[in-house]
Amino acid sequence: MPTIVVEVMPKPEILDPQGKAIANALPHLGFTGFSSVRQGKRFELNIDGEVTDELLESARTAAAEMLSNPVIEDVVSVTVAEGL
C-alpha cells in the first residue's frame, strides 16, 4: 500500500522550545556533537490504490491548508513512500 509522507517544520525564525529542550538533554544522555535540534511533524497518508498526480496534488494542498500552520510552519516535503 503506498503512503504519501508530509513533513512540516517550524519556520527558521520561529522559536522551537521542544527542539531546544531535546538539544539540552542530549549531552546529559551521552549524545554529543549536536549543536542544535529542530522538532517537526510527519504525517503518513495511506492510499488505497495507485498514487496519481491528482492525488499527490491534493495531498500538497491538504499539507498547506490543513496539516501545517502557514504562519509558523513550512511544508518541507510531500513524497511517496512505498511499503511503510
Side-chain angles (χ1 to χ4, degrees):
M1 166 185 330
T3 301
I4 296 175
V5 177
V6 176
E7 295 179 336
V8 176
M9 292 295 292
K11 290 182 181 283
E13 62 273 14
I14 299 297
L15 295 176
D16 181 5
Q18 290 175 307
K20 187 172 177 69
I22 294 166
N24 289 337
L26 287 173
H28 298 290
L29 299 171
F31 301 102
T32 60
F34 303 103
S35 60
S36 67
V37 175
R38 302 280 294 168
Q39 181 175 325
K41 299 185 287 191
R42 174 185 167 112
F43 299 91
E44 294 181 359
L45 308 170
N46 295 321
I47 308 301
D48 292 327
E50 183 179 335
V51 177
T52 63
D53 289 339
E54 289 175 347
L55 192 56
L56 196 52
E57 186 57 34
S58 180
R60 286 187 185 103
T61 301
E65 295 179 5
M66 190 184 95
L67 301 178
S68 67
N69 178 344
V71 174
I72 61 170
E73 296 173 320
D74 290 323
V75 176
V76 294
S77 70
V78 178
T79 58
V80 178
E82 297 286 337
L84 285 180

